[in-house]
Amino acid sequence: MPKSSIVTLDRFILDRQIEFRYSSGELSRILYDISLAAKVINREVNKAGLVDILGLTNATNVHGEEVKKLDDFAHREIIKSLSLGGQCCVLGSEEEEDIIPIREEDSGEYIVLFDPLDGSSNIDVNVSIGTIFSIYRRQHQEGTVEGLRKEALQRGDSQVAAGYVLYGSSTMLVYTTGHGVNGFTLDPGIGEFLLSHPNIQIPARGKYYSTNQGYYHLWDEGLKNYMRYLIEDDPATGRPYSLRYIGTLVADIHRTLFYGGVFFYPRTKTNPSGKLRLMYECNPMAFIIEQSGGMAIDGHQRIMEIEPKRLHQREPLFIGSSADVRQAQFFLTQQEAK
Ligand code: P6P
């Protein structure tokens, strides 16, 4: 019997369950539940242009950003999907100020932090958007709200799994449990995520840089020096790099994962911590990129070694091919050494 070349996400999770030292099936169930929510969100994203789900809910989220209907739908869908299985004790969402305790009787060994719909400003113009998730195991059995708040603030290097869904020209789910990175493409005809990109490895160096250059005037001198270096004409060192920027973190990181290069959302004079959130944007993306052979820093230290203090705290992010991120780090620290 020929070995089937079609591997569904569910089959893959089951086959790889043994790799996970707590392989009681609970983490597998969480990954199933997230993939189910992703299929439901994908259906709405695909028809967003056809029904009145675009536009605003007249609400704002914890960051004062207008919450688009699809953001709110995705937020509720993920909570619903993760609340059923009993594996989670607490959730954290970009759309919710505080943690979301899941079960009164204080069971559930896992924590899931997520950005339900990253890049929502792009929803109305049909540009790729995404969902990001980060999964931890519970460290203590204290079931109070304060205890659960602590559970939701673990360092990135304690993650047991992380991934994203990219709703683009095709819908992909990319995730890691610490044993490499694998990508699955949704076959809408059968409603299954199929293994399409096994064991993804980021190129050691790329030829793209990805950032919102409109903030150049607000950057530190070291970063300005780095960017000027990247766009010098020196073919012998693979320069100039090309600029690619979509404005959806998931899409920009996904391209970087496959083509290499560096994405950065730095601190600026007006936003000293940058814009991206540590717990449900920087940490999960850092886990994935490190597992693919790349690097992720805040400009100085590993993103995943930052001690979290608040659920929605922001951090500067430099992420991508290790040679490129190291080069950025050199320019940033060289300037500070002066
Ligand atoms: P800017 C989307 O709003 C987001 O949170 C990330 O997905 C993206 O990387 C960033 O903000 C874009 O921010 O300031 O360039 O519009």
Side-chain angles (χ1 to χ4, degrees), residues 65 94 115 118-122 212 215 245 247-250 252 263 265 275-277 281:
E65 294 159 350
E94 182 192 28
D115 182 353
D118 166 62
S120 49
S121 56
N122 285 320
N212 185 334
Y215 298 131
Y245 192 67
T248 295
L249 180 67
V250 171
D252 282 316
F263 169 93
Y265 205 108
K275 173 181 183 182
L276 300 175
R277 284 79 165 187
E281 289 178 321

